[in-house]
Every structure is written in structure tokens, then in C-alpha cells.
């Protein structure tokens, strides 16, 4: 059961692709794993087709690639582990969790991982990742339009994994069995990530269907302070907007960033379309995600003040060392109406750093040089500085400058077969080699060293794939550590974590 053209296959946990002498797989029973593979395989192909036909994306990784799919997980669970999708069973052990929206949800995580910014982030990043899974589940159901799993905006209702019906309800998240809020608030960063997906799920339904879609479809509420109503654009249009926004994703993506990205997306996809812009903006207002200075304005011919400007940074990513300075040019343009004066400010500077603009005020169409000066005690790591321009009419535009302050360059681990380098901010994690894993076909000894700045706080762990999950088999800590482990043949990877401080690192390793 493999599709070489898409690099996709389905197997039972711990085995390769299911195969047989003909094209008939399984007996249709809820506990039969060949049947489960056939159902899950169909769902994955439908999502692939939806991504291609509706959203213009080439495969799950955007480059024509797919990932292995395994059924038979002996748990009430389904998950994406960064490399494979794994599907379990219901609580009563009578059915496999292979419905369209469940499988599509898990492969949706691969799309989130393989768009800019990856998985790195905070609670809101992970919540938006979960919402992306639910969104792609709904899109796949609507694309497939299969009579045994009619399209809707409820997640895992056919699976009924825990015997309580759907796990999440996109049109009214608070109506589901989980403690899932309809509206964004400052409590979201402290909310469990599946529940914190509620406002994004609610937003997507409003963009697709609106508050009162009619035709027997359920209505969707509006949070306090939101518009009286929102007019839906259809799920295919909503999907294009969300996919285009994902291509603007950054590490540490939050709800505020998603609002800006989707509004940018609708202006890129449907330039000058006031109705579509109003729907996307109204949907965010309806779930209480506040307006952002960086978001685009409503098209000028819709009655808004036609004078507007843009603001960009060149370069937008810079590096320096403690005690040194770095520069970037702030470029402004008049996008509509007459030129206006723009006053520039910077926020989010790391400790000890200062920012100066020359000149501090420019007329749109002009530029200013931003100089960031660091101190000897400015902490190493990657910092996001927000540059804001405020026009004479009160309009604002923002752009982000990514500043990396390098610590002491780590010594290279010498004498090893393989070497990898990278940089981590505090709290971040990387997997080597190259975000993947390596395979050894013999029992033997794995050796590694990790070099990092003395001020860094790094953990190094060797993990082995058990057939169900990655398990730590050896671990070491500190900026200059070595690790040795003797183990059997299998799949292995190194996990590198920056704890309370980050910086550059070099990993050297040998395989059996």
C-alpha cells in the first residue's frame, strides 16, 4: 500500500508498507488493521489532492514530499512526531482513528512544520499548529465530500474516540467537551494548546461560513465587542487565505502575527477586494484578537483615508557581538495619497542595547539608517526588535528586525565523522542531523561532543526510535560535553536544547 509518486505509504506499527496479492485490503472491520491502513491511506491522498487542487501546495512538505503513515498504535491517540503520522484506536478498542479529519489533522501538522518558522515558539504557536490541523481536517472533508463522513466543522465526530462525540466544534468551540474558549484573551498563553486553538478555529469558520450561513448550517457566535455579523467567503477561499498566511509564518508565531498574516494574505490574493478584507478583519474582531499596528489597512477605495505608506527594513536580519554595533536601513514608500512625515521608534531591544535613527523622521519615499548598539553585557541570543513608523495622520506601520548577538564562537568538535552547527535561543530545541535522523544497521557505539559558549546552558541527548516514539538512551549537559552510548541497530537522532541561555553550537558525532 504505497504511492511512489507521492512518496507515501501506510504500514502497521513497526513494519513497512502493507502489501498483498491483489487490490483488496482488509475486511472492513473496526479492529482490522489492513482496513485501517486503507482508510487512513485514502484520507492522506485526499488531503494531498486538496492541497494541490485548492491551495496550490505541492505535497505535505511543499516540495513534493510525503511522510510514512502507520496504524495500529495501541493507545487512544493519533499524533505527528515530526517524521511520521501514527494512528491509534478508540477507548472501547472497537474502531481505529482513521477518519478523514483525524488523519488530515495529523498531516496538517507536517504542513505547519514545513512552512517558514517551523514549530519553534510559545503556547500560541502550538495552539495555531493545532488549529491548522483542525482547519486542514475540515478542508479535506469538504474536498472529499464522502457520504460516510459528510463535510462539517466538527473534529473527530465520526471517530468518537472517547465516547463523547466530537472533540472540538469550530463554529462554537465552547460547545465542545473540552474547555475550549471561543474568544482570544490574555489567558490564552496559559491555556492547554488544543483548547487554545479555539479562537483560531472559530475565526476560520467565520471566514468560511460567517455568523449565519443558513441552509441548515449552524450559526456562529461573536465575542463581546465584535461586529454585528460576519459574511462568509466559502471554505476554499478561507483555506487559500490560511495557507497563504502560513507561508508568512515565523518562529514564535502568535495570534497577533496570524491576524497580520491573514490580512496580508487577503490583500495579496484579492487586491482591492473590500468585502473579502472586511470578512477577514471582522472574523478576527469577532474572536477578540486585537488590531495590530503592522496589519494592512482596508483598501483605499473603500472609504478609508487614502493616504498610506509602507515600511521595510534592509536587511531584516543582522548579527553582531556584545559591545559592537550593527545597522539596517528603514525604507518608506507612499502607497496611496500624498507623502507624509513618519516618525520612527524601536522597541523590544535586548538588555544594554540602544537604537538610534538618522534621521528620526522621514518623508515617505525616503529612508533612515537604524543603528543598534550593544553593550558588553548584552546577552547572546536572537532578539526581535520592532521598528514602528507613525505618520502625521496617526497611521502606523511596523517591521521586525531580527538581531542575533553572538557569544564566544564554540570550538569545533574535531576528529568526528560528522559535524553540524547551529544557533539556539533560550528555550529552543533542535534535532540533528538536519532536523531528521540517521540509521545504523549494526550494533555499535555512538559518540558525540557538543561545543557551545561558556555562558550557554545546553543539554545533549541521543534518542532512539522505538517504533512508536523517540526515547532518550543517553544524555549529557553543559556547554562542552561528550556522550557515548552502545546500542543496537535502528534509527537515532540527537536532541539539543537551550535551557536558560542560548548561543551558537557545534555538534560532532560518530555512528557505528
Amino acid at each position: 500500500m504505497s504511492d511512489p509518486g507521492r512518496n507515501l505509504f501506510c504500514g502497521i506499527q513497526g513494519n513497512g508498507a502493507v502489501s498483498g496479492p491483489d487490490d483488496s485490503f482488509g475486511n472492513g472491520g473496526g479492529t482490522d488493521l489492513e482496513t485501517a491502513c486503507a482508510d487512513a491511506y485514502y484520507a492522506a491522498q485526499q488531503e494531498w489532492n486538496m492541497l494541490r487542487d485548492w491551495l496550490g501546495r505541492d505535497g505535505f512538505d511543499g516540495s513534493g514530499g510525503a511522510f510514512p503513515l502507520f496504524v495500529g498504535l495501541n493507545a487512544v491517540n493519533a499524533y505527528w512526531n515530526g517524521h511520521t503520522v501514527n494512528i491509534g484506536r478508540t477507548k472501547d478498542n472497537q474502531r481505529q482513528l482513521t477518519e478523514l479529519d483525524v488523519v488530515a489533522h495529523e498531516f496538517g501538522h507536517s504542513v505547519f512544520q514545513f512552512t517558514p518558522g517551523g514549530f519553534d515558539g510559545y503556547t500560541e504557536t502550538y495552539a495555531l499548529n493545532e488549529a491548522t490541523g483542525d482547519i486542514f481536517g475540515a478542508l479535506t472533508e469538504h474536498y472529499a465530500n464522502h457520504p460516510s463522513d459528510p463535510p462539517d466543522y466538527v473534529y473527530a465526530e465520526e471517530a468518537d474516540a472517547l465516547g463523547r462525540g466530537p472533540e472540538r466544534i469550530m463554529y462554537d468551540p465552547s460547545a465542545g467537551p473540552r474547555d475550549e474558549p471561543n474568544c482570544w484573551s490574555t489567558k490564552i498563553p496559559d491555556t492547554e494548546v488544543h483548547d487554545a486553538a479555539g479562537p483560531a478555529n472559530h475565526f476560520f469558520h467565520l471566514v468560511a461560513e460567517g455568523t449565519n450561513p443558513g441552509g441548515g448550517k449552524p450559526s456562529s457566535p461573536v465575542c463581546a465587542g465584535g461586529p454585528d455579523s460576519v459574511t462568509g467567503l466559502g471554505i476554499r477561499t478561507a483555506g487559500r487565505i490560511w495557507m497563504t498566511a502560513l507561508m508568512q509564518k515565523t518562529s514564535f508565531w502568535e495570534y497577533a502575527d496570524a491576524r497580520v498574516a491573514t490580512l496580508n494574505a487577503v490583500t495579496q490574493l484579492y487586491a482591492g477586494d473590500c468585502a473579502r478584507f472586511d470578512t477577514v478583519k471582522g472574523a478576527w474582531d469577532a474572536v477578540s484578537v486585537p488590531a495590530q499596528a503592522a496589519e494592512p489597512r482596508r483598501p483605499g477605495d473603500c472609504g478609508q483615508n487614502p493616504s498610506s505608506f509602507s515600511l521595510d527594513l534592509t536587511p531584516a536580519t543582522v548579527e553582531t557581538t556584545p559591545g559592537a554595533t550593527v545597522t539596517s536601513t528603514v525604507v518608506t514608500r507612499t502607497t496611496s495619497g500624498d507623502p507624509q512625515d513618519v516618525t520612527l521608534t524601536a522597541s523590544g531591544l535586548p538588555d544594554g542595547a540602544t537604537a538610534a535613527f538618522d534621521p528620526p523622521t522621514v518623508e515617505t519615499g525616503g529612508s533612515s539608517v537604524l543603528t543598534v548598539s550593544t553593550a558588553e553585557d548584552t546577552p547572546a541570543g536572537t532578539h526581535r526588535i520592532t521598528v514602528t513608523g507613525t505618520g502625521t495622520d496617526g497611521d502606523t506601520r511596523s517591521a521586525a528586525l531580527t538581531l542575533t548577538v553572538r557569544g564566544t564562537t564554540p570550538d569545533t568538535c574535531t576528529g568526528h565523522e560528522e559535524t553540524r552547527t547551529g544557533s539556539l535561543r533560550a528555550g529552543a530545541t533542535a534535532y540533528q542531523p538536519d532536523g531528521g535522523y540517521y540509521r545504523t544497521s549494526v550494533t555499535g557505539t555512538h559518540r558525540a561532543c557538543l561545543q557551545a559558549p561558556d555562558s550557554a546552558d545546553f543539554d545533549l541527548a541521543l534518542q532512539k526510535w522505538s517504533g512508536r516514539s523517540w526515547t532518550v538512551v543517553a544524555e549529557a549537559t553543559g556547554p562542552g560535553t561528550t556522550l557515548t552510548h552502545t546500542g543496537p541497530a535502528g534509527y537515532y537522532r540527537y536532541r539539543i536544547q537551550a535551557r536558560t541561555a542560548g548561543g551558537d553550537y557545534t555538534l560532532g558525532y560518530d555512528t557505528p
Side-chain angles (χ1 to χ4, degrees), residues 201 291 294 352 366 451 479 489:
N201 281 344
Q451 292 290 340

Side-chain angles (χ1 to χ4, degrees), residues 19-377:
S19 61
D22 53 34
D23 293 331
S24 178
F25 291 94
N27 59 20
T31 60
D32 181 72
L33 294 183
E34 280 198 3
T35 300
C37 240
D39 290 344
Y41 187 69
Y42 168 79
Q45 289 182 315
Q46 289 298 306
E47 184 173 19
W48 180 291
N49 294 345
M50 181 277 297
L51 290 168
R52 177 196 63 202
D53 298 341
W54 280 11
L55 308 186
R57 183 172 175 84
D58 185 14
F60 296 122
D61 66 356
S63 300
F67 305 96
L69 168 63
F70 295 101
V71 301
L73 175 68
N74 188 24
V76 187
N77 195 13
Y79 63 86
W80 159 257
N81 64 9
H83 309 286
T84 63
V85 167
N86 299 268
I87 303 296
R89 54 170 176 78
T90 59
K91 184 178 180 180
D92 62 9
N93 204 19
Q94 296 302 301
R95 299 176 308 285
Q96 306 301 304
L97 303 178
T98 55
E99 283 70 20
L100 280 164
D101 55 359
V102 175
V103 176
H105 173 103
E106 301 307 334
F107 274 113
H109 292 323
S110 72
V111 178
F112 193 90
Q113 178 176 336
F114 284 87
T115 44
F119 277 145
D120 289 343
Y122 306 118
T123 296
E124 290 197 11
T125 315
Y126 310 139
L128 291 165
N129 174 38
E130 292 301 331
T132 296
D134 289 350
I135 288 167
F136 284 162
L139 282 161
T140 302
E141 280 191 352
H142 282 76
Y143 177 88
N145 196 26
H146 198 284
S148 68
D149 191 358
D152 52 37
Y153 294 89
V154 293
Y155 173 68
E157 78 288 354
E158 299 288 342
D160 193 15
L162 297 171
R164 62 185 187 185
E167 285 299 298
R168 290 185 287 281
I169 298 174
M170 298 177 74
Y171 59 83
D172 188 1
S174 63
R178 304 176 62 93
D179 186 19
E180 192 173 6
N182 287 354
C183 314
W184 185 90
S185 73
T186 55
K187 295 180 180 179
I188 289 292
D190 298 318
T191 302
E192 192 276 333
V193 295
H194 295 84
D195 299 333
N201 281 344
H202 191 188
F203 160 81
F204 183 81
H205 178 268
L206 288 168
V207 174
E209 302 291 344
T211 47
N212 297 289
K217 295 182 178 181
S219 298
S220 189
V222 170
C223 302
D228 292 336
S229 64
V230 176
T231 301
L233 305 177
I235 191 169
R236 185 170 179 175
T237 297
R240 290 189 68 199
I241 292 169
W242 190 257
M243 186 70 246
T244 303
L246 287 177
M247 297 307 297
Q248 302 172 43
K249 179 165 62 70
T250 60
S251 298
F252 300 87
W253 218 40
E254 297 181 345
Y255 269 95
D257 302 310
R259 174 176 173 130
V260 173
T262 51
L263 286 169
N264 282 334
V266 74
T267 60
Q268 293 160 9
L269 292 168
Y270 309 104
D273 192 319
C274 303
R276 286 188 172 97
F277 184 91
D278 289 346
T279 289
V280 176
K281 180 180 182 299
W284 283 123
D285 293 343
V287 300
S288 300
V289 174
Q292 303 297 310
E295 69 186 50
R297 297 177 66 187
R298 194 167 185 256
D301 58 357
C302 294
Q304 199 82 351
N305 185 340
S307 295
S308 189
F309 67 95
S310 64
L311 184 150
D312 297 289
L313 292 169
T314 305
T317 302
V318 293
E319 296 183 4
T320 188
T321 55
T325 61
V326 68
T327 62
S328 179
T329 300
V330 184
V331 179
T332 65
R333 295 180 178 86
T334 303
T335 57
S336 63
D338 298 325
Q340 58 182 302
D341 288 338
V342 175
T343 300
L344 302 169
T345 57
S347 59
L349 292 158
D351 292 344
T354 59
F357 295 92
D358 183 21
T361 299
V362 296
E363 185 178 71
T364 52
S367 61
S368 174
V369 176
L370 164 63
T371 301
V372 177
S373 302
T374 61
E376 294 292 343
D377 59 352

